[in-house]
Amino acid sequence: MAEKNIVFTDNATLPAIGQGTWYMGENSRARPKEVDAIRAGIDLGLTLIDTAEMYAEGGAEEVVGEALQGGLRDKVFLVSKVYPWNAAGKKAIAACEASLRRLKTDVLDLYLLHWRGNYSLAETVEVMETLMQQGKIRRWGVSNLDYSDMQELSRISGGKACATDQVLYHLGSRGIEFDLLPWCQQQAMPVMAYCPLAQAGRLREGLLESSVVKDLAHAHRASTAQILLAWVISHKGVMAIPKAASVAHVEENAAASKIVLSADDLARLDNAFPAPNRKTPLDVV
Ligand code: NDP
Protein backbone atom coordinates (compact mmCIF):
# COMPACT_ATOMS: atom_id res chain seq x y z
CA MET A 1 0.00 0.00 0.00
CA ALA A 2 1.45 3.37 -1.02
CA GLU A 3 1.86 5.88 1.77
CA LYS A 4 -0.51 8.80 1.68
CA ASN A 5 0.61 12.15 0.29
CA ILE A 6 -0.82 15.60 0.80
CA VAL A 7 -0.92 17.95 -2.17
CA PHE A 8 -1.06 21.72 -1.72
CA THR A 9 -2.90 23.87 -4.26
CA ASP A 10 0.46 24.88 -5.79
CA ASN A 11 1.23 21.14 -6.18
CA ALA A 12 3.82 20.95 -3.39
CA THR A 13 3.49 17.35 -2.22
CA LEU A 14 4.31 15.99 1.22
CA PRO A 15 3.94 12.76 3.20
CA ALA A 16 0.86 12.90 5.46
CA ILE A 17 2.86 12.66 8.69
CA GLY A 18 5.31 15.35 9.74
CA GLN A 19 7.02 16.43 12.95
CA GLY A 20 5.92 18.94 15.59
CA THR A 21 8.34 20.73 17.93
CA TRP A 22 6.32 22.31 20.75
CA TYR A 23 8.20 21.95 24.07
CA MET A 24 11.49 21.34 22.28
CA GLY A 25 14.33 23.74 23.04
CA GLU A 26 13.25 24.33 26.63
CA ASN A 27 16.05 22.40 28.27
CA SER A 28 19.63 22.36 26.98
CA ARG A 29 20.24 18.84 28.32
CA ALA A 30 17.40 17.47 26.18
CA ARG A 31 18.72 19.16 23.05
CA PRO A 32 20.95 16.41 21.62
CA LYS A 33 18.07 13.93 21.93
CA GLU A 34 15.67 16.36 20.24
CA VAL A 35 18.13 16.97 17.40
CA ASP A 36 18.58 13.21 16.95
CA ALA A 37 14.82 12.65 16.91
CA ILE A 38 14.24 15.29 14.23
CA ARG A 39 17.07 13.90 12.09
CA ALA A 40 15.78 10.33 12.46
CA GLY A 41 12.34 11.55 11.41
CA ILE A 42 13.70 13.23 8.28
CA ASP A 43 15.51 10.03 7.43
CA LEU A 44 12.24 8.13 7.74
CA GLY A 45 10.35 10.55 5.50
CA LEU A 46 8.75 12.82 8.12
CA THR A 47 9.94 15.79 6.13
CA LEU A 48 7.51 18.48 7.23
CA ILE A 49 8.84 20.20 10.34
CA ASP A 50 6.48 22.46 12.23
CA THR A 51 7.81 25.07 14.63
CA ALA A 52 6.99 28.60 15.85
CA GLU A 53 8.63 31.68 17.28
CA MET A 54 6.51 30.94 20.37
CA TYR A 55 7.99 27.53 21.20
CA ALA A 56 10.56 28.04 23.96
CA GLU A 57 10.61 31.67 22.74
CA GLY A 58 12.68 30.72 19.72
CA GLY A 59 14.43 27.77 21.39
CA ALA A 60 12.56 25.18 19.32
CA GLU A 61 13.55 26.97 16.10
CA GLU A 62 17.17 26.82 17.24
CA VAL A 63 16.90 23.06 17.80
CA VAL A 64 15.45 22.66 14.30
CA GLY A 65 18.20 24.90 12.88
CA GLU A 66 20.81 22.67 14.48
CA ALA A 67 19.10 19.48 13.27
CA LEU A 68 19.13 20.77 9.68
CA GLN A 69 22.88 21.44 9.60
CA GLY A 70 24.90 19.24 7.27
CA GLY A 71 22.76 19.54 4.19
CA LEU A 72 19.32 18.59 5.50
CA ARG A 73 17.60 21.94 4.92
CA ASP A 74 16.68 21.14 1.33
CA LYS A 75 15.16 17.80 2.31
CA VAL A 76 12.48 19.36 4.49
CA PHE A 77 9.38 21.50 4.24
CA LEU A 78 9.94 24.03 6.98
CA VAL A 79 6.95 25.64 8.71
CA SER A 80 7.06 28.38 11.32
CA LYS A 81 4.46 30.66 12.87
CA VAL A 82 4.23 34.30 13.78
CA TYR A 83 2.65 35.56 17.01
CA PRO A 84 -0.60 37.46 16.29
CA TRP A 85 0.88 40.63 17.80
CA ASN A 86 3.73 40.45 15.27
CA ALA A 87 1.54 39.58 12.29
CA ALA A 88 1.57 42.84 10.34
CA GLY A 89 3.91 45.48 8.94
CA LYS A 90 7.53 45.85 10.06
CA LYS A 91 7.01 43.64 13.12
CA ALA A 92 6.16 40.70 10.89
CA ILE A 93 9.21 41.25 8.70
CA ALA A 94 11.43 41.39 11.80
CA ALA A 95 9.76 38.31 13.35
CA CYS A 96 10.23 36.33 10.15
CA GLU A 97 13.87 37.39 9.84
CA ALA A 98 14.49 36.35 13.47
CA SER A 99 12.91 32.94 12.78
CA LEU A 100 15.10 32.53 9.69
CA ARG A 101 18.21 33.36 11.72
CA ARG A 102 17.35 30.84 14.44
CA LEU A 103 16.53 28.23 11.81
CA LYS A 104 19.80 29.03 9.98
CA THR A 105 18.05 29.28 6.65
CA ASP A 106 17.05 32.03 4.25
CA VAL A 107 13.54 30.87 3.39
CA LEU A 108 10.54 29.22 5.05
CA ASP A 109 8.39 26.86 3.01
CA LEU A 110 5.31 27.98 4.92
CA TYR A 111 4.65 30.78 7.41
CA LEU A 112 1.50 30.70 9.51
CA LEU A 113 -0.44 33.23 11.52
CA HIS A 114 -0.40 31.34 14.86
CA TRP A 115 -3.84 32.51 15.94
CA ARG A 116 -6.04 35.48 15.28
CA GLY A 117 -5.25 38.64 17.23
CA ASN A 118 -5.88 42.36 16.96
CA TYR A 119 -4.49 42.94 13.48
CA SER A 120 -7.03 42.54 10.68
CA LEU A 121 -6.67 39.50 8.46
CA ALA A 122 -6.16 41.93 5.56
CA GLU A 123 -3.08 43.41 7.25
CA THR A 124 -1.65 39.93 7.80
CA VAL A 125 -2.31 38.87 4.20
CA GLU A 126 -0.59 42.03 3.00
CA VAL A 127 2.59 41.36 4.95
CA MET A 128 2.58 37.68 3.96
CA GLU A 129 2.54 38.82 0.33
CA THR A 130 5.45 41.18 1.03
CA LEU A 131 7.43 38.34 2.66
CA MET A 132 6.79 36.19 -0.41
CA GLN A 133 7.96 38.97 -2.73
CA GLN A 134 11.09 39.34 -0.61
CA GLY A 135 11.76 35.61 -1.02
CA LYS A 136 11.63 34.98 2.75
CA ILE A 137 8.65 32.62 2.60
CA ARG A 138 7.39 30.36 -0.17
CA ARG A 139 3.73 30.29 0.93
CA TRP A 140 1.60 31.35 3.88
CA GLY A 141 -1.28 30.00 5.88
CA VAL A 142 -3.14 30.30 9.16
CA SER A 143 -3.72 28.39 12.35
CA ASN A 144 -6.61 28.17 14.81
CA LEU A 145 -9.03 29.86 12.43
CA ASP A 146 -12.57 28.50 12.56
CA TYR A 147 -15.01 28.18 9.67
CA SER A 148 -16.34 31.76 9.90
CA ASP A 149 -12.79 33.20 10.04
CA MET A 150 -11.88 31.19 6.95
CA GLN A 151 -14.92 32.57 5.12
CA GLU A 152 -13.83 36.08 6.05
CA LEU A 153 -10.25 35.35 4.94
CA SER A 154 -11.33 34.00 1.58
CA ARG A 155 -13.28 37.21 0.87
CA ILE A 156 -10.20 39.40 1.48
CA SER A 157 -8.06 40.37 -1.50
CA GLY A 158 -5.32 37.71 -1.74
CA GLY A 159 -6.93 35.62 1.03
CA LYS A 160 -7.60 32.65 -1.25
CA ALA A 161 -3.84 32.05 -1.47
CA CYS A 162 -3.91 30.70 2.10
CA ALA A 163 -2.16 27.31 1.87
CA THR A 164 -3.50 25.61 5.01
CA ASP A 165 -5.32 25.95 8.30
CA GLN A 166 -3.46 24.24 11.15
CA VAL A 167 -5.98 23.20 13.79
CA LEU A 168 -6.39 20.84 16.72
CA TYR A 169 -7.72 17.49 15.52
CA HIS A 170 -7.65 14.05 17.06
CA LEU A 171 -10.02 11.14 17.55
CA GLY A 172 -11.34 12.67 20.78
CA SER A 173 -11.91 16.13 19.28
CA ARG A 174 -13.73 16.00 15.96
CA GLY A 175 -15.49 19.39 15.86
CA ILE A 176 -13.84 20.47 12.57
CA GLU A 177 -15.66 17.68 10.74
CA PHE A 178 -18.93 19.63 11.03
CA ASP A 179 -18.02 22.55 8.75
CA LEU A 180 -14.34 23.57 8.64
CA LEU A 181 -12.92 20.31 7.31
CA PRO A 182 -15.54 19.78 4.55
CA TRP A 183 -15.02 23.37 3.43
CA CYS A 184 -11.21 23.00 3.30
CA GLN A 185 -11.63 19.72 1.38
CA GLN A 186 -13.88 21.50 -1.10
CA GLN A 187 -11.18 24.16 -1.64
CA ALA A 188 -8.52 21.41 -1.93
CA MET A 189 -6.77 23.17 0.98
CA PRO A 190 -4.82 20.72 3.16
CA VAL A 191 -5.55 20.77 6.89
CA MET A 192 -2.67 20.28 9.31
CA ALA A 193 -3.80 18.41 12.42
CA TYR A 194 -2.01 19.48 15.57
CA CYS A 195 -2.13 17.47 18.82
CA PRO A 196 -2.98 14.38 16.71
CA LEU A 197 -2.04 12.21 19.72
CA ALA A 198 -4.10 14.43 22.04
CA GLN A 199 -0.71 15.14 23.67
CA ALA A 200 -0.21 11.45 24.47
CA GLY A 201 -3.78 11.31 25.79
CA ARG A 202 -3.38 14.24 28.19
CA LEU A 203 -6.01 16.30 26.33
CA ARG A 204 -8.58 13.51 26.40
CA GLU A 205 -8.50 11.22 29.38
CA GLY A 206 -8.79 7.57 28.43
CA LEU A 207 -8.31 8.03 24.67
CA LEU A 208 -5.24 5.81 24.46
CA GLU A 209 -6.74 3.29 26.87
CA SER A 210 -10.05 3.03 25.03
CA SER A 211 -10.89 -0.62 24.36
CA VAL A 212 -11.69 0.02 20.68
CA VAL A 213 -8.36 1.78 20.09
CA LYS A 214 -6.55 -0.98 21.97
CA ASP A 215 -8.37 -3.71 19.99
CA LEU A 216 -7.45 -2.09 16.69
CA ALA A 217 -3.86 -1.65 17.82
CA HIS A 218 -3.74 -5.36 18.58
CA ALA A 219 -5.35 -6.28 15.25
CA HIS A 220 -2.90 -4.12 13.25
CA ARG A 221 0.10 -5.13 15.40
CA ALA A 222 0.48 -1.44 16.13
CA SER A 223 0.57 0.87 19.12
CA THR A 224 -2.46 2.88 20.21
CA ALA A 225 -0.60 6.07 19.20
CA GLN A 226 -0.18 4.66 15.69
CA ILE A 227 -3.91 3.98 15.46
CA LEU A 228 -4.64 7.60 16.42
CA LEU A 229 -2.29 8.84 13.68
CA ALA A 230 -3.67 6.42 11.09
CA TRP A 231 -7.18 7.66 11.95
CA VAL A 232 -6.23 11.35 11.54
CA ILE A 233 -4.61 10.85 8.14
CA SER A 234 -7.44 8.62 6.92
CA HIS A 235 -9.33 11.88 6.29
CA LYS A 236 -8.98 13.40 2.87
CA GLY A 237 -6.47 16.27 2.75
CA VAL A 238 -5.48 15.94 6.40
CA MET A 239 -1.90 15.62 7.58
CA ALA A 240 -0.70 15.02 11.14
CA ILE A 241 2.24 16.67 12.88
CA PRO A 242 2.93 14.61 16.02
CA LYS A 243 5.75 15.83 18.22
CA ALA A 244 8.21 13.18 19.31
CA ALA A 245 11.41 13.84 21.21
CA SER A 246 12.70 10.27 21.03
CA VAL A 247 13.87 8.20 18.08
CA ALA A 248 11.62 5.31 19.20
CA HIS A 249 8.52 7.50 19.04
CA VAL A 250 9.59 8.97 15.69
CA GLU A 251 10.02 5.47 14.26
CA GLU A 252 6.56 4.49 15.44
CA ASN A 253 5.02 7.64 14.02
CA ALA A 254 6.68 7.15 10.64
CA ALA A 255 5.45 3.56 10.46
CA ALA A 256 1.88 4.70 11.20
CA SER A 257 1.63 6.06 7.67
CA LYS A 258 1.51 2.48 6.41
CA ILE A 259 -1.46 1.44 8.55
CA VAL A 260 -4.72 1.37 6.62
CA LEU A 261 -7.85 1.32 8.73
CA SER A 262 -10.71 -0.61 7.10
CA ALA A 263 -14.26 0.71 6.78
CA ASP A 264 -15.16 -1.58 9.67
CA ASP A 265 -12.30 -0.21 11.82
CA LEU A 266 -13.43 3.34 11.08
CA ALA A 267 -17.05 2.50 11.90
CA ARG A 268 -15.99 1.09 15.27
CA LEU A 269 -14.02 4.25 16.03
CA ASP A 270 -17.00 6.41 14.94
CA ASN A 271 -19.21 4.49 17.27
CA ALA A 272 -16.91 5.04 20.24
CA PHE A 273 -15.95 8.62 19.32
CA PRO A 274 -18.82 10.01 17.24
CA ALA A 275 -18.46 12.69 14.59
CA PRO A 276 -20.14 15.98 15.54
CA ASN A 277 -23.79 16.54 14.60
CA ARG A 278 -23.80 20.24 15.48
CA LYS A 279 -21.46 23.22 15.42
CA THR A 280 -19.06 23.50 18.35
CA PRO A 281 -16.44 26.24 18.81
CA LEU A 282 -13.02 25.33 17.41
CA ASP A 283 -11.04 23.38 20.00
CA VAL A 284 -7.65 24.91 20.83
CA VAL A 285 -4.86 24.35 23.35
P1 NDP B 1 0.94 15.57 20.20
O1 NDP B 1 -0.48 15.13 20.11
O2 NDP B 1 1.80 15.49 19.01
O3 NDP B 1 1.60 14.76 21.40
C1 NDP B 1 2.94 14.89 21.77
C2 NDP B 1 3.20 13.93 22.92
O4 NDP B 1 3.03 12.59 22.43
C3 NDP B 1 4.58 14.02 23.49
O5 NDP B 1 4.46 13.81 24.89
C4 NDP B 1 5.31 12.82 22.86
O6 NDP B 1 6.30 12.30 23.71
C5 NDP B 1 4.19 11.82 22.72
N1 NDP B 1 4.40 10.88 21.62
C6 NDP B 1 4.87 11.13 20.37
N2 NDP B 1 4.90 10.01 19.63
C7 NDP B 1 4.44 9.02 20.43
C8 NDP B 1 4.26 7.64 20.25
N3 NDP B 1 4.52 7.05 19.07
N4 NDP B 1 3.78 6.91 21.29
C9 NDP B 1 3.49 7.50 22.47
N5 NDP B 1 3.64 8.82 22.70
C10 NDP B 1 4.13 9.57 21.69
O7 NDP B 1 0.90 17.05 20.82
P2 NDP B 1 1.57 18.44 20.45
O8 NDP B 1 0.90 19.45 21.30
O9 NDP B 1 3.03 18.38 20.51
O10 NDP B 1 1.09 18.71 18.93
C11 NDP B 1 1.89 18.37 17.82
C12 NDP B 1 2.53 19.59 17.19
O11 NDP B 1 1.53 20.44 16.66
C13 NDP B 1 3.28 20.50 18.18
O12 NDP B 1 4.51 19.95 18.61
C14 NDP B 1 3.36 21.76 17.39
O13 NDP B 1 4.38 21.68 16.41
C15 NDP B 1 1.97 21.78 16.75
N6 NDP B 1 0.98 22.54 17.56
C16 NDP B 1 0.43 23.66 17.01
C17 NDP B 1 -0.47 24.43 17.72
C18 NDP B 1 -1.03 25.66 17.12
O14 NDP B 1 -1.66 26.45 17.84
N7 NDP B 1 -0.87 25.86 15.83
C19 NDP B 1 -0.90 24.06 19.09
C20 NDP B 1 -0.33 22.81 19.54
C21 NDP B 1 0.56 22.09 18.79
P3 NDP B 1 7.88 12.56 23.46
O15 NDP B 1 8.04 13.99 23.15
O16 NDP B 1 8.49 12.11 24.73
O17 NDP B 1 8.31 11.69 22.29
Side-chain angles (χ1 to χ4, degrees):
M1 173 74 196
E3 289 164 33
K4 186 184 156 190
N5 280 328
I6 295 293
V7 184
F8 285 79
T9 50
D10 61 6
N11 288 328
T13 303
L14 288 171
I17 299 182
Q19 305 189 68
T21 63
W22 195 15
Y23 293 114
M24 287 190 183
E26 297 202 337
N27 168 348
S28 57
R29 273 181 306 160
R31 194 170 170 135
K33 199 174 160 206
E34 292 165 352
V35 166
D36 283 352
I38 293 171
R39 287 187 175 153
I42 297 167
D43 218 33
L44 291 165
L46 307 185
T47 50
L48 179 143
I49 302 184
D50 177 77
T51 189
E53 62 173 332
M54 181 189 116
Y55 303 158
E57 289 299 330
E61 290 180 325
E62 287 173 0
V63 170
V64 174
E66 184 177 334
L68 297 182
Q69 292 308 289
L72 291 180
R73 168 63 187 98
D74 292 341
K75 296 199 166 136
V76 303
F77 186 96
L78 197 48
V79 186
S80 195
K81 310 185 202 80
V82 60
Y83 274 129
W85 48 88
N86 285 339
K90 287 184 184 150
K91 281 185 171 180
I93 309 281
C96 182
E97 287 171 348
S99 286
L100 292 172
R101 267 195 305 278
R102 289 186 290 264
L103 288 161
K104 297 190 173 68
T105 185
D106 50 11
V107 63
L108 292 172
D109 295 287
L110 178 61
Y111 200 33
L112 306 178
L113 168 64
H114 207 150
W115 65 91
R116 205 172 166 176
N118 292 333
Y119 286 119
S120 68
L121 292 175
E123 286 171 293
T124 299
V125 171
E126 193 184 324
V127 80
M128 291 294 191
E129 287 173 345
T130 304
L131 287 166
M132 283 180 69
Q133 281 153 16
Q134 293 178 345
K136 292 177 180 138
I137 65 173
R138 294 199 166 109
R139 46 187 85 64
W140 63 269
V142 295
S143 177
N144 295 302
L145 260 58
D146 204 350
Y147 177 76
S148 59
D149 299 308
M150 291 307 281
Q151 304 312 300
E152 186 183 329
L153 178 62
S154 71
R155 285 192 298 265
I156 289 168
S157 166
K160 287 196 173 67
C162 174
T164 190
D165 191 8
Q166 183 182 110
V167 290
L168 186 151
Y169 187 44
H170 59 74
L171 180 63
S173 182
R174 301 181 59 173
I176 65 166
E177 289 175 45
F178 187 74
D179 50 6
L180 181 62
L181 179 57
W183 182 80
C184 291
Q185 288 168 333
Q186 230 172 41
Q187 318 299 310
M189 180 193 292
V191 166
M192 228 174 258
Y194 75 68
C195 302
L197 299 171
Q199 295 193 337
R202 285 187 290 277
L203 299 179
R204 174 73 193 254
E205 198 94 346
L207 188 62
L208 287 157
E209 290 78 38
S210 125
S211 58
V212 181
V213 176
K214 277 172 135 177
D215 277 1
L216 292 181
H218 183 72
H220 286 271
R221 296 173 198 274
S223 71
T224 49
Q226 286 177 311
I227 297 300
L228 292 196
L229 292 179
W231 178 84
V232 166
I233 66 166
S234 72
H235 296 85
K236 189 176 143 212
V238 180
M239 63 184 308
I241 48 168
K243 173 257 181 181
S246 75
V247 172
H249 279 168
V250 164
E251 285 172 349
E252 261 195 27
N253 298 346
S257 62
K258 297 195 185 74
I259 298 172
V260 181
L261 299 173
S262 68
D264 185 53
D265 295 339
L266 293 171
R268 289 181 64 194
L269 290 167
D270 276 342
N271 205 29
F273 300 94
N277 53 16
R278 65 188 166 82
K279 175 68 187 165
T280 47
L282 185 63
D283 202 359
V284 294
V285 279

